[in-house]
Amino acid sequence: EVQLVESGGGSVQAGGSLRLSCTVSGFSFDDSEMGWYRQAPENECELVLSVSSDGITYITDSVKGRFTSSHDNAKNTVYLQMNSLKPEDTAVYYCAADPGTIVVGQGCWGQGTQVTVSS
């Protein structure tokens, strides 16, 4: 079976950092893209960034310069490094395979991991 498990969320003060992990099983993503999505209560699902083995392929303007991501083929894991966190980053974060094939607004499902940023 295909499974993606997010972890690494938590509660931090504004300006702090977190590193999220998405571990994949059931398929190989060596040459594929992975996407990070987030959704806050009452908000729409948002694609934050996408990353392949060659690096970031898309990143939304609101997190440029603060977030980065990497693709570790040996561990079947993609990481989301979140620096200079702001309260507006508070959301449940999700990962998904092949973001280019996902309909807008439909990438936020599964376990997810909660990120809470306090002022």
Side-chain angles (χ1 to χ4, degrees), residues 8 53 69 89 94 114:
S53 60
S69 185
D89 297 317
Y94 303 86
Q114 176 73 49

Side-chain angles (χ1 to χ4, degrees), residues 3 6-7 14 27 30-32 34 45 49 52-53 64 75 82 88 100 102 108 114-115 118:
Q3 188 169 10
E6 303 93 343
S7 62
F27 72 98
D30 290 9
D31 296 315
S32 65
M34 299 294 294
C45 179
L49 59 79
S52 72
S53 60
K64 284 182 179 178
K75 297 181 179 180
M82 311 165 68
E88 66 192 59
I102 297 176
C108 297
Q114 176 73 49
V115 172
S118 302

Side-chain angles (χ1 to χ4, degrees), residues 10-74:
S11 298
V12 298
Q13 294 287 327
S17 297
L18 287 171
R19 188 180 73 161
L20 308 185
S21 299
C22 173
T23 300
V24 174
S25 62
F27 72 98
S28 174
F29 59 74
D30 290 9
D31 296 315
S32 65
E33 288 186 320
M34 299 294 294
W36 284 100
Y37 297 80
R38 67 184 180 185
Q39 187 167 34
E42 310 299 328
N43 287 1
E44 71 277 8
C45 179
E46 175 187 25
L47 174 62
V48 178
L49 59 79
S50 58
V51 61
S52 72
S53 60
D54 293 325
I56 293 173
T57 56
Y58 169 82
I59 185 165
T60 194
D61 288 343
S62 64
V63 305
K64 284 182 179 178
R66 300 188 298 117
F67 291 11
T68 190
S69 185
S70 60
H71 205 254
D72 189 334
N73 292 333

